[in-house]
C-alpha cells in the first residue's frame, strides 16, 4: 500500500498544480470548432466553411463586403475599381503599402498570378472566375498587370460592375499570394504544375492581418498577427482554433473560460448557455438554406401542384422556435434576406402549414389518395427532426415518406447523381446578390443527363424551365439596379410556385462568445478575428 | 478429389522437411513471417474491396459539393480512381512495400506522416488506460474470487456491469462535468491547455515523454491533468473485462486440490493465493490483458471525440467517412500488425511464464 502512496501523491500534486491554471491568454483569442472538414488552406482550393472563415483572416482579398451590410462593397487590397464605358474592362488600383509577412512588397503581378493560378488549378473555387467566361487558355489576355499597382480585367460580357466584383473579386481566388513562394514550391506532375498547391495547402504567404503559424490537423490551428499588415492591426496577437468536435465539451470549456468562442454548439447547449451572464450568443442570418429538393424525373414529382402541396406540409414558424432555434430562420424564397434583389421577409415566406390546401392541391394533381416516396437526408444536426416533421404531416394527407438517413458524403453523391426522389440538403450562396442563388437554383443551362452539371441543383433535380432561364439571363445583365431588383422579384415569385426546391430555412450561424472578448465583428460572409480584443 | 488422392502421402508446405539443413528456428521464423504476411495481405485486400463498394465519394470531399464536372473529373483522375480496382490495389501495395502508404486523399500528406502524428497520442492514452485497467481490474477480480458471494464480490460485479453497459459518450461527458467543470481537478478536452501548446518539441510524439525530455515540468503536469480523465474513462471497460475474467480464472484455481494441499501444508491463505493460484492464472491473464491493450490501441473513437483527442481512432473513422482508402488501409494494416505483434509477444511470454510450453 505504501508503494502506491507515493505515485498517488505525485499524481494528486500534479493535477492540483495543473488545474490551478485558468482562463485564456490575454493576448490570444481561443476558439473551439469542429475542424474535421478542414483539409486545405490554399485559397484556390478551399471548399468548406472553416477554411473560408479562417483564410479570410489570413489572406485579404481585392475587395470585401461591408461586415454589417454585405450588399455594400468596400476596398481592401484594391483601393478603388472602375469599369470602362462599354462595361468590358475592369480596372483595379491596388494599395501601394501592401507587403507579405516577410516584408517583401506585394504587387499587381502577385495578384494577377494568384487569379490566373486559381483558373489553371481548376478546383471548385475556379468557378468564381470561370463561370464569367475566364478560361485557362485566355487567362493571359483576360487578366493582366498594367503596372505594379494596377490590374486590368477584360470581361467577356458587360456584366453589371457590382455583380462581377461581388461575385469574383471578393472571393478566395482574389487573395494575393506570394508568386515567388508559389513558383519556388511548385511541383510538376505529368506536365501539369500545381502552382505551389502542395505548399499552400498547409502554410500561408499572402497579404493579410494574420499568418498561419501552426496547423496540426484535427488538433489545433494557430494564427499569429502579421505586424506589417496595412490595415487595422489585430487586437490580439494570436488566434488559437482548437478542434473540439463535441458540442457538450465545447460548452463546458466555454463556461469554464478555457475557450473564448464556441463555434459549433447544438441548440440544446446554446439554450443552456443563453442563461449564462458571462456568455453572449451572436446569431447571424447567413446566405444559405435548408431545403428539400424534388427529382423531376419522377412522374409524380414533376407535377408542379404536387411540389406546391409539399410546401404546405411544414410548420415553418413552429420549427423556427423549436427544432431550428439558433439554426434557421423561416423563409421560402430562393434569394436570401440580405442579398441584392431579395423579396422582403413577408413576401419571402408565403407558405404555412395548411393540410387542407395540401390535400386540395394533391387532388387537383390527380393524387387524392397520396403516394409513397423515398426521402433522403443527412443524419446530422437538425435534419432528422425536420424530416420527421415533414413525414408526419405528409402522412396526414396520404403521402407516405420513407426516410433514409445517411452520411453527408453519401447524400451529396446521391443527389449529384440524380439518384433520389426527395432529398433534404443545404446550400450556401457565394456572394450577396440574387444571381448567386438564381444562377444555380433557377437556371439550368443543359438538362441532359450527359451534361453532368452537378454543380446546378436544378440539373440534379432534372428540372428546367426555358422561361426561367431567360428571366435569369436578362436580370443578370440588367445594369439598372431598380430594374434588376424588379426582375429578380418577379423570378422569385414564379419559382415559389413552380421551382423544384421547397426552401424552409435560411441558415443561422450561432457563435457563443465570452463577455471578456470585445469588438468581435461577425458578418454573414466574414468573421473578423482581428477586431477582437480583451 | 479421388479416394486414391486422399490416401497418397503428401508433402505440404506446412510440414518441416526432415532431412533439411534448415535450422528449426529459421523454419519457425519462416512459418511465422509467411503466415503473418498472408494474414495481412488478406486483411488489406478485403478492406480495399469492401471500401470501394461503400457509396462514399472521396472526390466530393476534396472539390466541394458545388464543384462542376470538369473539376470533379480532374481530381477523380488525379486520385487514380479511373484505374481498374486491381490496379489501384497494386499501386497501394507497391507504395506499402516501399515503406509508404501513399498520400491521404484529403490533405495530400503522406499517410505515414499522419500516422506518426496520431498514433503516439493513442499509444499514450491506451498505455495509461491499460495500466489502470491492470492495477485496478486484477486486484478486484482476485478479491471477488477469494471472497466469493461477499459484498466485495457484489461490488466487483457492479463494476463489471457498469464497465460493460455505461456508454463511453455518457461517462466521458459526465466525467468532464464533474472532474473538469465542477471540481476542476483535471484539464479539459485536448492534450494540453492553450498556454502550453507548441512549447515542447516533438521527439517521440508521446507528449508526457517529450515534456520530460525537454525538461518542461509544467507542460508535463498539464499533460497529465489532461490525460488522466480520458484514460480513466477508457480503462473502465478494461477494468470490467479484466476483473470479471480474473475472478473466473481464480475461482477455477481455488477449487483445485493442490490449493487445499498447500493450505494443509500450513501455508497462509494469501501466500497460497499469491504463490500458487495467481501464478497459475498468469498465462490466461496475459492473454486477456494483451487483448484488452490491442483493442485500446485500435483507438477509441467516442473517447477521442468527447475529449478532442487527436488519435488513431478518429483518424481511421474520418478516413472511412471520407472514402480515403489510403488512410483506411494503412490504419487497418497497423491494427493487423498490432494484433499479430501482441500475439507473438504473448507467445514468447508464455514460454517464460509457463515452463510446460518450452
Amino acid at each position: 500500500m505504501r508503494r502506491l502512496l507515493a505515485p498517488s501523491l505525485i499524481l494528486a500534486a500534479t493535477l492540483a498544480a495543473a488545474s490551478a491554471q485558468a482562463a485564456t491568454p490575454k493576448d490570444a483569442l481561443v476558439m473551439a470548432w469542429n475542424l474535421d472538414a478542414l483539409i486545405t488552406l490554399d485559397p484556390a482550393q478551399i471548399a468548406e466553411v472553416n477554411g473560408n472563415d479562417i483564410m479570410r483572416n489570413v489572406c485579404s482579398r481585392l475587395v470585401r463586403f461591408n461586415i454589417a451590410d454585405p450588399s455594400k462593397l468596400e476596398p481592401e487590397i484594391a483601393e478603388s475599381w472602375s469599369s470602362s464605358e462599354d462595361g468590358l474592362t475592369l480596372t483595379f488600383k491596388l494599395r501601394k503599402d501592401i507587403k507579405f509577412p516577410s516584408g517583401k512588397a506585394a504587387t499587381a503581378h502577385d495578384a494577377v498570378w494568384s487569379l490566373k493560378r486559381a483558373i489553371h488549378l481548376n478546383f471548385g473555387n475556379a468557378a468564381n472566375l470561370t463561370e464569367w467566361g475566364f478560361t485557362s487558355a485566355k487567362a493571359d489576355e483576360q487578366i493582366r498587370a498594367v503596372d505594379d499597382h494596377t490590374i486590368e480585367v477584360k470581361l467577356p460580357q458587360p456584366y453589371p460592375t457590382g455583380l462581377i466584383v461581388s461575385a469574383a473579386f471578393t472571393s478566395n481566388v482574389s487573395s494575393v499570394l506570394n508568386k515567388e513562394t508559389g513558383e519556388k514550391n511548385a511541383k510538376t506532375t505529368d506536365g501539369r504544375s500545381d502552382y505551389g498547391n502542395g505548399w499552400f495547402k498547409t502554410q500561408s504567404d499572402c497579404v493579410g492581418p494574420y499568418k498561419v503559424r501552426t496547423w496540426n490537423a484535427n488538433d489545433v490551428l494557430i494564427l499569429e498577427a502579421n505586424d506589417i499588415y496595412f490595415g487595422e492591426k489585430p487586437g490580439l496577437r494570436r488566434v488559437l482554433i482548437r478542434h473540439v468536435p463535441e458540442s457538450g465539451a465545447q460548452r463546458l470549456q466555454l463556461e469554464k473560460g478555457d475557450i473564448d468562442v464556441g463555434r459549433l454548439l447544438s441548440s440544446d447547449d446554446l439554450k443552456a448557455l443563453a442563461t449564462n451572464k458571462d456568455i453572449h450568443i451572436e446569431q447571424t442570418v447567413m446566405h444559405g438554406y435548408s431545403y428539400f429538393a424534388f427529382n423531376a424525373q419522377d412522374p409524380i414529382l414533376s407535377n408542379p401542384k404536387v411540389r406546391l402541396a409539399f410546401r404546405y406540409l411544414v410548420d415553418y414558424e413552429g420549427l423556427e422556435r423549436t427544432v431550428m432555434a439558433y439554426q434557421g430562420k423561416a423563409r421560402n424564397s430562393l434569394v436570401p434576406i440580405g442579398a441584392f434583389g431579395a423579396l422582403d421577409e413577408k413576401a419571402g415566406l408565403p407558405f404555412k402549414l395548411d393540410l387542407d390546401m395540401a390535400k386540395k392541391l394533391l387532388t387537383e394533381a390527380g393524387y387524392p389518395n397520396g403516394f409513397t416516396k423515398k426521402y433522403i437526408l443527412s443524419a446530422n444536426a437538425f435534419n432528422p427532426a425536420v424530416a420527421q416533421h415533414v413525414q408526419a404531416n405528409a402522412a396526414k394527407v396520404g403521402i407516405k415518406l420513407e426516410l433514409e438517413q445517411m452520411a453527408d458524403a453519401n447524400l451529396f453523391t446521391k443527389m449529384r447523381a440524380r439518384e433520389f426522389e426527395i432529398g433534404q440538403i443545404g446550400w450556401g450562396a457565394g456572394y450577396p446578390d440574387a444571381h448567386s442563388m438564381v444562377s444555380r437554383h433557377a437556371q439550368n443551362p443543359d438538362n441532359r443527363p450527359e451534361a453532368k452539371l452537378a454543380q446546378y441543383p436544378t440539373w440534379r433535380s432534372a428540372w428546367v424551365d426555358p422561361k426561367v432561364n431567360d428571366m435569369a439571363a436578362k436580370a443578370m445583365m440588367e445594369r439598372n439596379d431598380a430594374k434588376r431588383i424588379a426582375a429578380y422579384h418577379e423570378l422569385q415569385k414564379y419559382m415559389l410556385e413552380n421551382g423544384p426546391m421547397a426552401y424552409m430555412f435560411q441558415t443561422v450561424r450561432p457563435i457563443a462568445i465570452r463577455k471578456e472578448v470585445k469588438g468581435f465583428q461577425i458578418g454573414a460572409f466574414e468573421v473578423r478575428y482581428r477586431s477582437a480584443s480583451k | 478429389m479421388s479416394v486414391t488422392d486422399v490416401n497418397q502421402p503428401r508433402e505440404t508446405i506446412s510440414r518441416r522437411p526432415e532431412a533439411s539443413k534448415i535450422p528449426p528456428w529459421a523454419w519457425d521464423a519462416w512459418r511465422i513471417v509467411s503466415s503473418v504476411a498472408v494474414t495481412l495481405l488478406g486483411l488489406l485486400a478485403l478492406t480495399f474491396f469492401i471500401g470501394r463498394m461503400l457509396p462514399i465519394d472521396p472526390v466530393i470531399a476534396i472539390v466541394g459539393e458545388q464543384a462542376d464536372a470538369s473539376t470533379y473529373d480532374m481530381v477523380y483522375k488525379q486520385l487514380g480512381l479511373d484505374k481498374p480496382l486491381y490496379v489501384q490495389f497494386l499501386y497501394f501495395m507497391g507504395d506499402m512495400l516501399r515503406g509508404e502508404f501513399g498520400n491521404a486523399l484529403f490533405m495530400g500528406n503522406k499517410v505515414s506522416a499522419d500516422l506518426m502524428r496520431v498514433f503516439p497520442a493513442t499509444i499514450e492514452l491506451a498505455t495509461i488506460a491499460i495500466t489502470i485497467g491492470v492495477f485496478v481490474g486484477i486486484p478486484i477480480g482476485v478479491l471477488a474470487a477469494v471472497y466469493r458471494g461477499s459484498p466485495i464480490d457484489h461490488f466487483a460485479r457492479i463494476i463489471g456491469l457498469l464497465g460493460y453497459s455505461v456508454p463511453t459518450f455518457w461517462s466521458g461527458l459526465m466525467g468532464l462535468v464533474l472532474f473538469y467543470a465542477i471540481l476542476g481537478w483535471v484539464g479539459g478536452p485536448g492534450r494540453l491547455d492553450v498556454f502550453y501548446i507548441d512549447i515542447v518539441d516533438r521527439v517521440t510524439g508521446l507528449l508526457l515523454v517529450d515534456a520530460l525530455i525537454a525538461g518542461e515540468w509544467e507542460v508535463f503536469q498539464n499533460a497529465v491533468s489532461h490525460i488522466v480523465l480520458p484514460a480513466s474513462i477508457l480503462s473502465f471497460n478494461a477494468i470490467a473485462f479484466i476483473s470479471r475474467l480474473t475472478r473466473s480464472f481464480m475461482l477455477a484455481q481455488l477449487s483445485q486440490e493442490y490449493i487445499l494441499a498447500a493450505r494443509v501444508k500450513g501455508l497462509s491463505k494469501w501466500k497460497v493465493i499469491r504463490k500458487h493460484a495467481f501464478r497459475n492464472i498468469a498465462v490466461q491473464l496475459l492473454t486477456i490483458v494483451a487483448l484488452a491493450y490491442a483493442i485500446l490501441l485500435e483507438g477509441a473513437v467516442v473517447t477521442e471525440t468527447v475529449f478532442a483527442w487527436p488519435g488513431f481512432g478518429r483518424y481511421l473513422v474520418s478516413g472511412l467517412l471520407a472514402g480515403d482508402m489510403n488512410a483506411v488501409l494503412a490504419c487497418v494494416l497497423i491494427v493487423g500488425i498490432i494484433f499479430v505483434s501482441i500475439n507473438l509477444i504473448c507467445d514468447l511470454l508464455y514460454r517464460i511464464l509457463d515452463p510446460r510450453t518450452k
Side-chain angles (χ1 to χ4, degrees):
Chain A
M1 197 66 193
R2 253 177 295 168
R3 268 179 290 175
L4 287 175
L5 191 62
S8 306
L9 286 175
I10 291 171
L11 180 65
T14 301
L15 294 181
S19 57
Q21 191 64 265
T24 54
K26 284 275 175 210
D27 65 344
L29 182 72
V30 183
M31 286 199 280
W33 211 350
N34 184 341
L35 298 178
D36 270 336
L38 183 65
I39 57 169
T40 179
L41 302 178
D42 187 340
Q45 191 187 5
I46 291 165
E48 43 71 47
V49 174
N50 313 67
N52 193 42
D53 190 283
I54 293 163
M55 292 313 284
R56 274 195 182 268
N57 291 278
V58 174
C59 300
S60 299
R61 289 91 196 276
L62 288 177
V63 181
R64 72 181 182 201
F65 301 118
N66 177 286
I67 197 149
D69 179 2
S71 65
K72 292 179 183 152
L73 296 171
E74 289 178 351
E76 196 162 28
I77 283 182
E79 60 186 6
S80 66
W81 57 92
S82 57
S83 172
S84 61
E85 289 249 329
D86 61 3
L88 289 170
T89 306
L90 268 179
T91 305
F92 292 94
K93 288 280 181 194
L94 308 194
R95 299 174 66 105
K96 295 190 173 65
D97 55 353
I98 48 175
K99 287 178 180 171
F100 296 111
S102 62
K104 179 181 171 278
T107 68
H109 300 284
D110 295 296
V112 166
W113 180 81
S114 303
L115 287 163
K116 289 200 286 195
R117 167 182 188 272
I119 298 171
H120 297 319
L121 282 172
N122 196 28
F123 287 119
N125 276 345
N128 287 306
L129 296 167
T130 53
E131 77 171 51
W132 303 98
F134 297 97
T135 64
S136 198
K138 292 185 184 168
D140 288 343
E141 309 157 26
Q142 292 175 317
I143 306 170
R144 67 185 192 97
V146 176
D147 56 42
D148 279 357
H149 309 291
T150 311
I151 302 173
E152 189 180 82
V153 179
K154 295 283 185 197
L155 300 174
Q157 290 187 65
Y159 305 113
T161 306
L163 173 62
I164 184 72
V165 172
S166 169
F169 299 101
T170 58
S171 70
N172 279 306
V173 296
S174 76
S175 302
V176 180
L177 308 183
N178 189 340
K179 178 184 174 188
E180 198 178 292
T181 302
E183 288 182 339
K184 194 170 77 187
N185 292 289
K187 288 194 177 132
T188 303
T189 312
D190 299 333
R192 191 185 158 97
S193 172
D194 77 342
Y195 295 89
N197 172 248
W199 192 91
F200 284 112
K201 259 184 173 181
T202 55
Q203 296 164 84
S204 67
D205 191 2
C206 53
V207 179
Y210 283 97
K211 56 190 175 187
V212 175
R213 183 174 129 181
T214 307
W215 179 24
N216 296 329
N218 287 342
D219 186 10
V220 67
L221 186 139
I222 303 175
L223 306 180
E224 194 168 71
N226 173 15
D227 293 326
I228 53 173
Y229 175 58
F230 64 86
E232 176 198 349
K233 298 285 178 280
L236 297 167
R237 281 219 50 81
R238 287 187 302 156
V239 177
L240 293 100
I241 305 169
R242 303 199 70 164
H243 175 55
V244 183
E246 215 292 304
S247 169
Q250 259 189 45
R251 174 183 150 192
L252 291 175
Q253 286 184 298
L254 199 59
E255 286 173 332
K256 201 158 160 57
D258 279 348
I259 58 170
D260 300 312
V261 180
R263 295 294 303 263
L264 197 76
L265 290 149
S266 69
S267 292
D268 287 341
D269 285 320
L270 286 162
K271 281 175 195 163
L273 287 171
T275 57
N276 188 324
K277 62 181 174 32
D278 295 326
I279 292 161
H280 163 68
I281 299 169
E282 182 79 25
Q283 297 184 64
T284 311
V285 180
M286 305 293 287
H287 289 226
Y289 279 105
S290 291
Y291 64 94
F292 49 92
F294 306 95
N295 190 334
Q297 289 179 122
D298 182 285
I300 298 175
L301 300 174
S302 67
N303 188 322
K305 288 199 171 168
V306 171
R307 297 198 299 264
L308 194 56
F310 269 92
R311 289 165 160 90
Y312 288 101
L313 296 178
V314 184
D315 179 6
Y316 302 97
E317 291 179 357
L319 284 177
E320 181 186 307
R321 286 191 301 273
T322 53
V323 173
M324 298 302 291
Y326 297 104
Q327 309 288 344
K329 187 172 168 55
R331 185 164 176 85
N332 301 134
S333 179
L334 88 161
V335 178
I337 279 285
F340 179 93
L343 287 173
D344 64 26
E345 282 195 27
K346 193 171 173 224
L349 184 61
F351 304 114
K352 59 179 184 179
L353 179 64
D354 188 341
L355 298 178
D356 293 337
M357 177 62 90
K359 188 80 183 164
K360 179 171 169 282
L361 287 163
L362 286 174
T363 306
E364 285 172 17
Y367 305 102
N369 300 317
F371 45 80
T372 299
K373 288 286 161 230
K374 279 210 170 90
Y375 186 111
I376 61 172
L377 65 141
S378 160
N380 283 340
F382 50 80
N383 289 292
V386 171
Q388 283 158 17
H389 170 90
V390 177
Q391 182 189 40
N393 288 328
K396 292 174 189 164
V397 295
I399 300 173
K400 186 182 175 197
L401 293 179
E402 293 170 350
L403 304 190
E404 189 185 344
Q405 295 184 36
M406 55 190 70
D408 285 351
N410 196 359
L411 179 71
F412 296 152
T413 304
K414 279 183 178 287
M415 295 198 69
R416 285 174 62 95
R418 292 182 165 181
E419 289 169 0
F420 70 101
E421 290 177 343
I422 304 174
Q424 184 177 310
I425 196 167
W427 185 272
Y431 47 93
D433 188 290
H435 181 73
S436 181
M437 286 297 288
V438 167
S439 63
R440 291 286 187 273
H441 282 239
Q443 278 182 302
N444 180 356
D446 188 346
N447 199 37
R448 291 172 305 133
E450 58 271 29
K452 289 189 179 174
L453 298 180
Q455 72 271 37
Y456 288 82
T458 39
W459 180 88
R460 297 178 192 177
S461 285
W463 181 88
V464 66
D465 186 333
K467 181 182 166 189
V468 169
N469 279 351
D470 190 46
M471 288 166 83
K474 282 183 180 154
M476 178 182 76
M477 297 306 294
E478 177 56 62
R479 291 175 72 86
N480 178 300
D481 280 356
K483 285 184 184 170
R484 199 160 157 256
I485 289 170
Y488 281 128
H489 282 187
E490 188 190 346
L491 195 151
Q492 286 170 78
K493 285 173 186 162
Y494 183 83
M495 291 297 288
L496 279 167
E497 301 285 323
N498 298 285
M501 286 87 169
Y503 301 95
M504 296 181 284
F505 303 100
Q506 195 170 333
T507 319
V508 169
R509 179 186 57 206
I511 300 182
I513 310 159
R514 284 195 66 86
K515 290 265 167 74
E516 300 89 272
V517 178
K518 313 283 180 206
F520 195 38
Q521 293 183 322
I522 300 172
F525 287 87
E526 181 183 6
V527 177
R528 203 168 281 172
Y529 307 166
R530 69 171 178 276
S531 62
S533 63
K534 286 182 181 171
Chain B
M1 188 180 281
S2 69
V3 174
T4 320
D5 287 333
V6 172
N7 292 332
Q8 286 291 324
R10 287 181 297 163
E11 285 289 329
T12 65
I13 192 138
S14 62
R15 189 176 164 200
R16 186 185 296 181
E18 285 168 21
S20 168
K21 288 180 182 169
I22 301 169
W25 64 264
W27 178 255
D28 284 347
W30 160 249
R31 191 173 52 82
I32 291 169
V33 168
S34 57
S35 72
V36 166
V38 170
T39 305
L40 295 180
L41 184 67
L43 188 66
L44 286 177
L46 197 66
T47 312
F48 182 85
F49 292 107
I50 289 175
R52 281 291 183 258
M53 281 189 275
L54 291 175
I56 293 177
D57 188 344
V59 182
I60 298 286
I62 294 171
V63 300
E65 196 252 331
Q66 301 186 7
D68 63 22
S70 70
T71 306
Y72 181 94
D73 290 345
M74 180 187 78
V75 174
Y76 188 81
K77 283 181 187 158
Q78 279 174 359
L79 297 179
L81 297 173
D82 56 330
K83 306 265 187 324
L85 270 187
Y86 72 91
V87 175
Q88 293 178 41
F89 185 63
L90 288 177
Y91 278 166
F92 175 79
M93 292 304 296
D95 281 344
M96 208 193 65
L97 291 173
R98 283 195 298 275
E100 299 170 359
F101 296 112
N103 289 347
L105 304 186
F106 242 26
M107 288 177 55
N109 293 342
K110 284 198 176 305
V111 173
S112 48
D114 281 350
L115 289 175
M116 289 295 286
R117 182 170 51 77
V118 298
F119 202 47
T122 293
I123 291 179
E124 203 165 40
L125 190 61
T127 304
I128 294 180
I130 197 66
T131 307
I132 298 172
V134 166
F135 281 96
V136 177
I138 292 178
I140 288 178
V142 171
L143 288 172
V146 173
Y147 300 106
R148 187 180 184 183
S150 72
I152 294 176
D153 192 18
H154 294 312
F155 171 74
R157 193 168 294 144
I158 291 167
I159 293 286
L161 192 67
L162 290 177
Y164 281 127
S165 57
V166 174
T168 311
F169 185 79
W170 184 85
S171 56
L173 271 180
M174 290 303 107
L176 275 175
V177 169
L178 182 63
F179 296 108
Y180 163 64
I182 297 175
L183 298 172
W185 290 356
V186 298
R191 292 177 86 184
L192 283 173
D193 282 349
V194 289
F195 294 92
Y196 301 104
I197 291 173
D198 255 10
I199 290 179
V200 169
D201 287 336
R202 185 187 175 86
V203 181
T204 62
L206 304 168
L207 199 50
L208 296 172
V209 176
D210 287 350
L212 289 177
I213 290 172
E216 291 286 354
W217 177 241
E218 275 194 41
V219 177
F220 177 80
Q221 283 180 309
N222 193 257
V224 169
S225 81
H226 277 262
I227 203 169
V228 70
L229 185 59
S232 301
I233 298 289
L234 200 54
S235 71
F236 202 21
N237 188 268
I239 289 171
F241 178 61
I242 292 170
S243 67
R244 294 311 294 161
L245 289 173
T246 304
R247 178 183 179 276
S248 159
F249 298 152
M250 278 302 279
L251 283 176
Q253 291 300 322
L254 292 175
S255 63
Q256 300 284 317
E257 286 184 357
Y258 77 89
I259 296 291
L260 190 62
R263 287 287 283 147
V264 169
K265 263 171 64 185
L267 286 178
S268 72
K269 180 180 175 183
W270 283 104
K271 204 162 191 174
V272 171
I273 290 166
R274 198 154 46 88
K275 297 260 181 182
H276 294 282
F278 189 73
R279 184 164 288 178
N280 278 337
I281 68 166
V283 169
Q284 290 162 300
L285 276 184
L286 180 68
T287 309
I288 59 159
V289 169
L291 184 63
Y293 188 42
I295 291 169
L296 289 173
L297 281 174
E298 277 180 51
V301 181
V302 177
T303 309
E304 288 178 4
T305 302
V306 172
F307 289 94
W309 202 263
F312 182 74
R314 293 202 64 241
Y315 182 74
L316 171 58
V317 171
S318 302
L320 199 58
L321 289 176
D324 188 342
M325 286 316 291
N326 284 355
V328 171
L329 286 169
C331 291
V332 167
L333 186 67
I334 296 286
V335 170
I337 290 171
I338 288 171
F339 271 90
V340 168
S341 309
I342 285 182
N343 271 332
L344 286 175
I345 292 168
C346 281
D347 281 348
L348 292 174
L349 288 175
Y350 289 161
R351 294 183 183 207
I352 296 166
L353 292 171
D354 187 352
R356 291 170 301 181
T357 57
K358 279 182 186 168

